[in-house]
Amino acid sequence: MNKCLVCESTFSPFISFGDQPIANGFLKEEDFGKEYLFEMKVGYCDQCHMVQLTEQPDREKMFHDQYPFYSSLSNHMQKHFRSEGEEIFNSYLNKDSFVVEVGCNDGIFLQYFKDKGMKHLGIEPSSNVAEAAKEKGINAWSTFFDEDVAKKAELEYGKADLVFSANVICHIPYIHSIAKGIESILSDKGVFVFEDPYLGDIIEKTSYDQIYDEHVFFFSAHSVSTLFSRHGLELIDVKKIPTHGGSMRYTLARSGAFEKSNAVNEVLKHEEELGLTKFETYEKFSKNVENSKKNFVALLEKLKSEGKSVAGYGATSKSTTVLNYCGVGPNHISFISDTTPMKQEKFTPGTHIPVKSREYFGQNTPDYIVLFAWNHKKEIIENEPGFEGRWITYIPDVHVF
Ligand code: TYD
Ligand code: ZN
């Protein structure tokens, strides 16, 4: 039995992915023997509806001065965050507003507010990406956000009119300290807007690769509303967004400060219909994941027996779960192409597939390529008009296209 990180009720896991390494722990050959592994299991708490990992490695193992994820590498993500900034500005802010971002990465979201000359602060624990933000003139602190940091920020800059966070809140197990910090720094009419991969999409698409060490929570409108209402914050709006393979943007404010949009009730209703509040739904998901593994391994075995060459596209965090869970290594996939310099000439965590540059891929074109960065499918297919082989995906099911 495990204890819910939100409400402390006990729950049992519905799936185990076996031993998993640090998802972004790309490594050199000399470090193969030193990898940290943990058993990755996920459970559903029927008291507060939170789907969560049962254990997570220490945060310093995941977020540090070698964190290899730079948000601004994707043009589509840059466009996405600029229009997010604009939309939130038009709905809730003015030029005198103060904007705080929890986990600002390389400043991809704050750039818009900086360009407008607005007061802003980014809080980012991975120092290499925080430095990249500072180099662009973004005001950033390189630390983990919590209640105490929120107090310090308020002392220095005052109350915040927007606290924003993208693909970060779901990473933080000490969620009550985060919620208290946000609640304390928000101005009376301030809003807390955050987005994360959406549980509904994970269930509907069997996108089990969203489950890896960094993602401790898999949010729904049900669990978000329950969690933050404990801290006096009310879910006033929700919006489905396409990033990271299907995300939800949640807007929260002090209870009673704004009218609740219709979209909230609609999403809550949709979640009931999807079965997100029933344990059986998660048992069914677990079966779907097993099937996905069977089909993926069978396809790779078949291609191997036919002598076809297979590579991968995008050494994503998500791919770590798939490769380790399916037991797929360099025997099946000869290399993975990735544009991130910090990942190149290293090996994938746990399975040790070489990560190579886009140029290497151009010179060593395989017959088949597994699209591990499936969430960037449109952008990638557009960028690779010359690839004459076939693509493989496993979302929403294993197929060749
Ligand atoms: P992403 O799917 O955003 O995240 P996660 O690691 O959270 O699963 O990661 C995309 C990876 O794919 C990143 O390492 C960069 C790489 N990539 C390419 O190599 N080429 C591309 O055209 C794009 C869009 C991404
Ligand atoms: Zn709970």
Side-chain angles (χ1 to χ4, degrees):
M1 286 303 241
N2 295 273
K3 221 180 205 179
C4 174
L5 288 167
V6 175
C7 74
E8 302 197 336
S9 305
T10 52
F11 66 91
S12 344
F14 56 83
I15 193 166
S16 168
F17 291 94
D19 281 349
Q20 292 281 337
I22 301 292
N24 267 308
F26 294 89
L27 68 168
K28 297 193 185 114
E29 198 162 353
E30 60 262 33
D31 296 324
F32 282 1
K34 296 186 225 153
E35 262 179 296
Y36 169 87
L37 300 171
F38 74 106
E39 189 188 354
M40 192 169 80
K41 291 180 283 188
V42 185
Y44 166 70
C45 171
D46 60 5
Q47 296 301 302
C48 72
H49 309 298
M50 190 63 84
V51 173
Q52 57 200 284
L53 287 188
T54 61
E55 71 170 289
Q56 203 193 22
D58 296 339
R59 63 188 189 178
E60 287 78 11
K61 283 197 169 72
M62 299 183 281
F63 311 109
H64 41 60
D65 62 355
Q66 300 283 314
Y67 188 59
F69 185 86
Y70 288 80
S71 299
S72 296
L73 280 179
S74 160
N75 287 332
H76 280 218
M77 289 304 269
Q78 290 203 24
K79 272 191 223 143
H80 166 73
F81 282 117
R82 180 152 282 268
S83 79
E84 284 266 280
E86 203 162 25
E87 204 182 317
I88 299 170
F89 180 84
N90 291 335
S91 305
Y92 299 105
L93 306 175
N94 61 57
K95 285 219 159 195
D96 299 320
S97 303
F98 171 39
V99 176
V100 172
E101 185 175 8
V102 178
C104 67
N105 197 276
D106 57 13
I108 190 168
F109 175 77
L110 286 178
Q111 186 76 43
Y112 171 81
F113 299 96
K114 187 212 153 242
D115 292 348
K116 276 182 127 50
M118 287 169 63
K119 189 161 78 162
H120 65 273
L121 171 66
I123 296 165
E124 172 55 59
S126 299
S127 57
N128 58 321
V129 286
E131 280 310 315
K134 287 181 205 167
E135 274 161 29
K136 294 178 198 162
I138 307 276
N139 182 36
W141 287 357
S142 180
T143 184
F144 287 96
F145 181 84
D146 62 13
E147 232 179 314
D148 293 337
V149 171
K151 286 208 185 86
K152 264 212 301 220
E154 184 181 340
L155 265 179
E156 196 157 335
Y157 301 102
K159 292 277 186 192
D161 304 293
L162 167 67
V163 175
F164 181 80
S165 195
N167 305 305
V168 169
I169 299 300
C170 74
H171 291 68
I172 312 179
Y174 43 98
I175 189 73
H176 291 304
S177 170
I178 299 295
K180 280 183 201 155
I182 292 167
E183 194 276 334
S184 75
I185 199 170
L186 267 190
S187 64
D188 287 345
K189 282 279 185 184
V191 286
F192 166 42
V193 180
F194 78 100
E195 59 188 58
D196 273 306
Y198 180 50
L199 177 65
D201 284 291
I202 297 174
I203 297 296
E204 282 190 295
K205 297 177 191 158
T206 318
S207 44
Y208 70 91
D209 57 352
Q210 293 290 3
I211 302 169
Y212 54 88
D213 58 359
E214 294 176 21
H215 290 169
V216 60
F217 296 119
F218 305 92
F219 292 127
S220 63
H222 272 87
S223 59
V224 164
S225 158
T226 311
L227 159 59
F228 289 101
S229 68
R230 296 165 75 114
H231 298 279
L233 297 175
E234 184 183 22
L235 184 60
I236 58 163
D237 200 14
V238 284
K239 188 183 176 188
K240 283 245 38 204
I241 47 174
T243 52
H244 284 285
S247 296
M248 188 70 85
R249 191 176 84 191
Y250 306 93
T251 303
L252 297 110
R254 291 185 190 287
S255 300
F258 290 92
E259 215 171 302
K260 200 189 245 181
S261 93
N262 252 341
V264 175
N265 287 332
E266 280 164 21
V267 166
L268 288 170
K269 193 164 151 251
H270 176 66
E271 291 181 356
E272 300 274 353
E273 287 160 5
L274 251 181
L276 297 190
T277 53
K278 290 197 205 99
F279 190 73
E280 300 86 81
T281 306
Y282 302 102
E283 288 178 309
K284 189 160 166 249
F285 169 76
S286 170
K287 290 267 172 313
N288 293 342
V289 172
E290 277 171 39
N291 277 332
S292 176
K293 170 181 177 170
K294 245 188 266 163
N295 296 337
F296 187 51
V297 173
L299 174 62
L300 293 177
E301 282 291 331
K302 177 175 159 279
L303 295 175
K304 194 174 157 188
S305 70
E306 291 168 356
K308 305 286 192 210
S309 56
V310 182
Y313 204 104
T316 55
S317 335
K318 294 186 289 291
S319 70
T320 297
T321 297
V322 176
L323 295 167
N324 286 278
Y325 172 65
C326 298
V328 167
N331 252 338
H332 291 103
I333 294 179
S334 51
F335 68 92
I336 301 184
S337 167
D338 197 288
T339 49
T340 316
M342 277 182 88
K343 296 181 186 176
Q344 291 162 4
E345 298 309 314
K346 288 192 181 152
F347 294 82
T348 58
T351 50
H352 307 159
I353 299 171
V355 181
K356 299 288 185 184
S357 65
R358 170 64 191 79
E359 290 68 38
Y360 180 94
F361 166 60
Q363 289 151 12
N364 298 270
T365 319
D367 301 319
Y368 287 80
I369 190 144
V370 183
L371 184 57
F372 288 115
W374 57 269
N375 47 313
H376 301 285
K377 183 172 172 183
K378 198 165 163 264
E379 180 170 6
I380 289 173
I381 307 286
E382 272 167 22
N383 288 346
E384 298 293 352
F387 176 58
E388 287 174 349
R390 315 277 311 269
W391 294 91
I392 297 173
T393 188
Y394 45 86
I395 301 291
D397 49 28
V398 176
H399 65 275
V400 173
F401 62 99

